[in-house]
Each structure stands twice: as structure tokens, then as C-alpha cells.
Coordinates of all heavy atoms in Angstrom, one line a residue:
Y1 N 87.9 106.9 190.2 CA 87.4 107.3 191.6 C 88.0 108.5 192.2 O 87.5 109.3 192.9 CB 87.7 106.0 192.6 CG 86.9 104.9 192.1 CD1 87.5 103.5 192.3 CD2 85.7 104.9 191.3 CE1 86.8 102.4 191.9 CE2 85.1 103.7 190.9 CZ 85.7 102.4 191.2 OH 85.1 101.4 190.7
T2 N 89.4 108.7 191.8 CA 90.0 109.9 192.2 C 89.4 111.2 191.6 O 89.2 112.2 192.4 CB 91.5 109.9 191.9 OG1 92.2 108.7 192.6 CG2 92.2 111.1 192.5
V3 N 89.2 111.1 190.4 CA 88.5 112.2 189.7 C 87.1 112.5 190.2 O 86.7 113.6 190.4 CB 88.4 111.9 188.1 CG1 87.6 113.0 187.5 CG2 89.8 112.0 187.6
Q4 N 86.4 111.4 190.6 CA 85.0 111.5 191.1 C 85.1 112.3 192.5 O 84.2 113.1 192.7 CB 84.4 110.2 191.2 CG 83.8 109.7 190.1 CD 83.2 108.2 190.2 OE1 83.7 107.5 190.8 NE2 82.1 108.2 189.4
F5 N 86.0 111.9 193.2 CA 86.3 112.5 194.7 C 86.7 113.9 194.4 O 86.1 114.8 195.3 CB 87.4 111.8 195.3 CG 87.6 112.2 196.8 CD1 86.6 112.0 197.8 CD2 88.8 113.0 197.0 CE1 86.8 112.5 199.0 CE2 88.9 113.5 198.5 CZ 87.9 113.2 199.3
I6 N 87.5 114.2 193.5 CA 87.9 115.6 193.2 C 86.7 116.4 192.8 O 86.4 117.7 193.2 CB 89.1 115.8 192.2 CG1 90.2 115.1 192.7 CG2 89.3 117.2 191.9 CD1 91.5 115.0 191.8
T7 N 85.8 115.9 192.0 CA 84.6 116.5 191.5 C 83.6 116.7 192.6 O 83.0 117.8 192.7 CB 83.9 115.7 190.5 OG1 84.8 115.2 189.5 CG2 82.7 116.4 189.9
I8 N 83.6 115.9 193.6 CA 82.8 116.1 194.9 C 83.3 117.3 195.6 O 82.6 118.2 196.0 CB 82.7 114.9 195.8 CG1 82.0 113.6 195.1 CG2 82.1 115.3 197.1 CD1 82.1 112.4 195.8
L9 N 84.6 117.4 195.7 CA 85.1 118.6 196.5 C 84.9 119.9 195.7 O 84.6 120.8 196.3 CB 86.7 118.3 196.6 CG 87.0 117.1 197.6 CD1 88.6 117.1 197.6 CD2 86.5 117.1 199.0
T10 N 84.9 119.8 194.4 CA 84.8 121.0 193.6 C 83.3 121.4 193.7 O 83.0 122.6 193.8 CB 85.0 120.7 192.1 OG1 86.4 120.2 192.0 CG2 84.8 121.9 191.3
C11 N 82.3 120.4 193.8 CA 80.9 120.8 193.9 C 80.7 121.5 195.3 O 79.9 122.5 195.4 CB 80.1 119.5 193.8 SG 80.0 118.9 192.1
V12 N 81.3 120.9 196.4 CA 81.3 121.5 197.7 C 81.7 122.9 197.7 O 81.2 123.9 198.3 CB 81.9 120.7 198.8 CG1 81.9 121.2 200.1 CG2 81.1 119.2 198.8
W13 N 82.9 123.0 197.1 CA 83.6 124.3 197.0 C 82.7 125.3 196.3 O 82.6 126.5 196.7 CB 85.0 124.2 196.3 CG 85.7 125.4 195.9 CD1 86.3 126.3 196.7 CD2 85.8 125.9 194.6 NE1 86.7 127.3 195.9 CE2 86.6 127.2 194.7 CE3 85.3 125.6 193.3 CZ2 86.7 128.0 193.4 CZ3 85.6 126.3 192.3 CH2 86.4 127.5 192.3
Y14 N 82.1 124.9 195.1 CA 81.3 125.8 194.4 C 79.9 126.3 195.3 O 79.6 127.4 195.3 CB 80.8 125.0 193.2 CG 79.8 125.8 192.2 CD1 80.4 126.7 191.4 CD2 78.4 125.7 192.4 CE1 79.7 127.5 190.5 CE2 77.7 126.5 191.6 CZ 78.2 127.3 190.6 OH 77.4 128.1 189.8
L15 N 79.5 125.2 196.0 CA 78.4 125.6 196.9 C 78.6 126.6 197.9 O 77.8 127.4 198.3 CB 77.7 124.3 197.4 CG 77.1 123.3 196.4 CD1 76.9 122.0 197.3 CD2 75.8 124.0 195.9
L16 N 79.8 126.5 198.4 CA 80.2 127.5 199.4 C 80.5 128.8 199.0 O 80.2 129.9 199.7 CB 81.5 126.9 200.1 CG 81.4 125.7 200.9 CD1 82.7 125.1 201.5 CD2 80.5 125.9 202.2
K17 N 81.0 128.9 197.6 CA 81.4 130.2 197.0 C 80.2 130.8 196.3 O 80.2 132.1 196.3 CB 82.5 130.0 196.0 CG 83.9 129.5 196.6 CD 84.5 130.6 197.4 CE 86.0 130.3 197.8 NZ 86.6 131.5 198.3
N18 N 79.3 130.1 195.7 CA 78.2 130.7 195.1 C 77.0 130.5 195.8 O 76.3 129.4 196.1 CB 78.1 130.1 193.7 CG 77.1 130.6 192.9 OD1 76.4 131.7 193.1 ND2 76.6 130.1 191.8
K19 N 76.4 131.6 196.3 CA 75.1 131.6 197.0 C 73.8 131.8 196.2 O 72.8 131.8 196.8 CB 75.3 132.6 198.2 CG 76.4 132.3 199.2 CD 76.3 131.1 199.9 CE 77.6 131.0 200.8 NZ 77.6 129.6 201.5
L20 N 74.1 132.1 194.9 CA 72.9 132.4 194.1 C 72.1 131.2 193.9 O 72.7 130.1 193.6 CB 73.3 133.1 192.9 CG 74.1 134.4 193.0 CD1 74.6 134.9 191.6 CD2 73.2 135.5 193.6
R21 N 70.7 131.2 193.8 CA 70.0 130.2 193.4 C 69.8 130.2 192.0 O 68.9 130.8 191.4 CB 68.5 130.3 194.1 CG 68.6 130.2 195.7 CD 67.2 130.3 196.2 NE 66.5 129.1 195.9 CZ 65.2 128.9 196.3 NH1 64.6 129.8 196.9 NH2 64.6 127.9 195.9
Q22 N 70.6 129.2 191.4 CA 70.7 129.1 189.9 C 70.8 127.7 189.6 O 71.1 126.9 190.5 CB 71.7 129.9 189.3 CG 73.0 129.6 189.9 CD 74.3 130.1 189.1 OE1 74.3 129.7 187.9 NE2 75.2 130.9 189.6
P23 N 70.5 127.3 188.3 CA 70.7 125.9 188.0 C 71.9 125.2 188.4 O 72.0 124.0 188.8 CB 70.2 125.8 186.5 CG 69.6 127.1 186.2 CD 70.0 128.1 187.2
Y24 N 73.1 125.9 188.2 CA 74.3 125.3 188.4 C 74.6 125.0 189.9 O 75.3 124.1 190.1 CB 75.4 126.2 188.0 CG 75.5 126.3 186.4 CD1 75.0 127.3 185.7 CD2 76.2 125.3 185.7 CE1 75.1 127.2 184.2 CE2 76.3 125.3 184.2 CZ 75.8 126.3 183.7 OH 75.8 126.3 182.3
R25 N 74.0 125.8 190.8 CA 74.1 125.5 192.2 C 73.4 124.2 192.5 O 74.0 123.4 193.3 CB 73.5 126.9 193.0 CG 73.6 126.5 194.6 CD 73.3 127.8 195.2 NE 73.1 127.5 196.7 CZ 74.2 127.5 197.5 NH1 75.4 127.5 197.1 NH2 74.0 127.1 198.8
F26 N 72.2 124.1 192.0 CA 71.4 122.9 192.3 C 72.1 121.8 191.6 O 72.1 120.5 192.2 CB 69.9 123.0 191.8 CG 69.1 124.0 192.6 CD1 68.7 125.3 192.1 CD2 68.8 123.7 193.9 CE1 68.0 126.3 192.8 CE2 68.0 124.7 194.7 CZ 67.7 125.9 194.1
F27 N 72.7 121.9 190.5 CA 73.4 120.8 189.8 C 74.6 120.3 190.6 O 74.8 119.1 190.8 CB 73.8 121.3 188.4 CG 74.5 120.1 187.7 CD1 73.9 119.2 187.0 CD2 76.0 120.0 187.8 CE1 74.5 118.0 186.3 CE2 76.6 119.0 187.2 CZ 75.9 118.0 186.4
A28 N 75.3 121.4 191.2 CA 76.5 121.0 192.1 C 76.0 120.1 193.3 O 76.7 119.2 193.6 CB 77.2 122.1 192.3
A29 N 75.0 120.3 193.8 CA 74.5 119.8 195.0 C 74.0 118.3 194.6 O 74.5 117.5 195.2 CB 73.4 120.5 195.6
G30 N 73.3 118.3 193.6 CA 72.8 117.0 193.1 C 73.8 116.0 192.6 O 74.0 114.8 192.9
W31 N 74.8 116.6 191.9 CA 75.9 115.8 191.4 C 76.8 115.2 192.5 O 77.3 114.1 192.4 CB 76.7 116.5 190.3 CG 77.6 115.7 189.6 CD1 79.0 115.5 189.6 CD2 77.2 114.8 188.4 NE1 79.4 114.7 188.6 CE2 78.3 114.2 187.9 CE3 76.0 114.5 187.9 CZ2 78.3 113.2 186.8 CZ3 76.0 113.6 186.8 CH2 77.1 113.0 186.3
A32 N 77.1 116.1 193.6 CA 77.9 115.6 194.6 C 77.2 114.6 195.4 O 78.0 113.5 195.8 CB 78.1 116.9 195.5
I33 N 75.8 114.5 195.6 CA 75.1 113.5 196.2 C 75.2 112.3 195.4 O 75.5 111.2 196.0 CB 73.6 113.9 196.4 CG1 73.6 115.0 197.3 CG2 72.8 112.6 196.8 CD1 72.2 115.6 197.4
F34 N 75.2 112.4 194.1 CA 75.1 111.2 193.2 C 76.6 110.5 193.3 O 76.8 109.3 193.3 CB 74.9 111.5 191.9 CG 75.3 110.3 190.8 CD1 74.5 109.2 190.8 CD2 76.3 110.5 190.0 CE1 74.9 108.1 190.0 CE2 76.8 109.5 189.0 CZ 76.0 108.3 189.1
L35 N 77.6 111.2 193.1 CA 78.9 110.8 193.3 C 79.3 110.1 194.6 O 79.9 109.1 194.7 CB 80.0 111.8 192.9 CG 79.9 112.2 191.4 CD1 81.1 113.3 191.1 CD2 80.2 111.2 190.5
T36 N 78.9 110.7 195.7 CA 79.0 110.2 196.9 C 78.3 108.9 197.1 O 78.9 107.8 197.6 CB 78.3 111.2 198.1 OG1 79.0 112.5 197.9 CG2 78.6 110.5 199.5
H37 N 77.1 108.7 196.5 CA 76.4 107.4 196.6 C 77.1 106.4 195.6 O 77.5 105.3 196.1 CB 75.0 107.6 195.9 CG 74.3 106.3 195.6 ND1 74.5 105.8 194.4 CD2 73.6 105.4 196.4 CE1 73.9 104.6 194.3 NE2 73.4 104.4 195.5
D38 N 77.6 106.8 194.6 CA 78.5 105.9 193.7 C 79.7 105.4 194.3 O 79.9 104.2 194.3 CB 78.7 106.7 192.4 CG 79.2 105.7 191.2 OD1 78.5 104.7 191.1 OD2 80.1 106.0 190.5
L39 N 80.5 106.3 194.9 CA 81.7 105.8 195.6 C 81.4 105.0 196.8 O 82.0 104.1 197.2 CB 82.4 107.1 196.0 CG 83.0 107.9 194.9 CD1 83.8 109.1 195.5 CD2 84.0 107.0 194.1
S40 N 80.2 105.3 197.5 CA 79.8 104.4 198.6 C 79.4 103.0 198.2 O 79.7 102.1 198.9 CB 78.5 105.1 199.3 OG 78.9 106.3 199.8
M41 N 78.9 103.0 197.1 CA 78.5 101.5 196.4 C 79.7 100.9 196.0 O 79.8 99.6 196.2 CB 77.5 101.8 195.2 CG 76.2 102.4 195.5 SD 75.2 101.1 196.6 CE 75.1 99.7 195.7
V42 N 80.8 101.6 195.6 CA 82.0 100.8 195.3 C 82.6 100.4 196.6 O 83.2 99.2 196.6 CB 83.0 101.9 194.6 CG1 84.4 101.4 194.6 CG2 82.6 102.4 193.3
I43 N 82.6 101.0 197.6 CA 83.1 100.5 199.0 C 82.3 99.3 199.4 O 82.9 98.3 199.8 CB 83.1 101.6 200.1 CG1 84.1 102.7 199.6 CG2 83.6 101.1 201.3 CD1 84.0 104.0 200.4
I44 N 81.0 99.4 199.4 CA 80.1 98.3 199.8 C 80.4 97.1 198.8 O 80.4 96.0 199.3 CB 78.7 98.8 199.6 CG1 78.3 99.9 200.6 CG2 77.7 97.5 199.8 CD1 77.0 100.4 200.5

């Protein structure tokens, strides 16, 4: 769960740094959403 949380922070950091519309930018956004959902389900 710690690694997943760090990955979310990395994805957000990437989105803030990289403004180009490319597959990696969309992947970072989607992966951050999925991990946030996964950690939310753990809490629930």
C-alpha cells in the first residue's frame, strides 16, 4: 500500500511536469485513479 501511494504521487507529479498529450500522460492519470480506487476499497 505504501508503494501504491508513492506511485499515485509519482503519477500526479508526472502530470504536473509533463503537459504533452501523449500515451504516458493518459496512463499516469488512469493509473492514479485506479490506485486511488484500490486503496479506497482497502479502507472500506
Side-chain angles (χ1 to χ4, degrees):
Y1 300 146
T2 301
V3 171
Q4 287 181 316
F5 182 70
I6 294 173
T7 307
I8 293 173
L9 295 179
T10 303
C11 289
V12 174
W13 169 74
Y14 181 85
L15 291 170
L16 293 174
K17 290 289 185 177
N18 184 10
K19 302 298 182 180
L20 298 177
R21 296 185 64 183
Q22 55 160 305
Y24 287 98
R25 179 172 172 79
F26 291 111
F27 178 86
W31 196 254
I33 293 172
F34 167 71
L35 289 184
T36 301
H37 167 268
D38 195 42
L39 292 179
S40 299
M41 292 301 294
V42 171
I43 297 173
I44 294 173

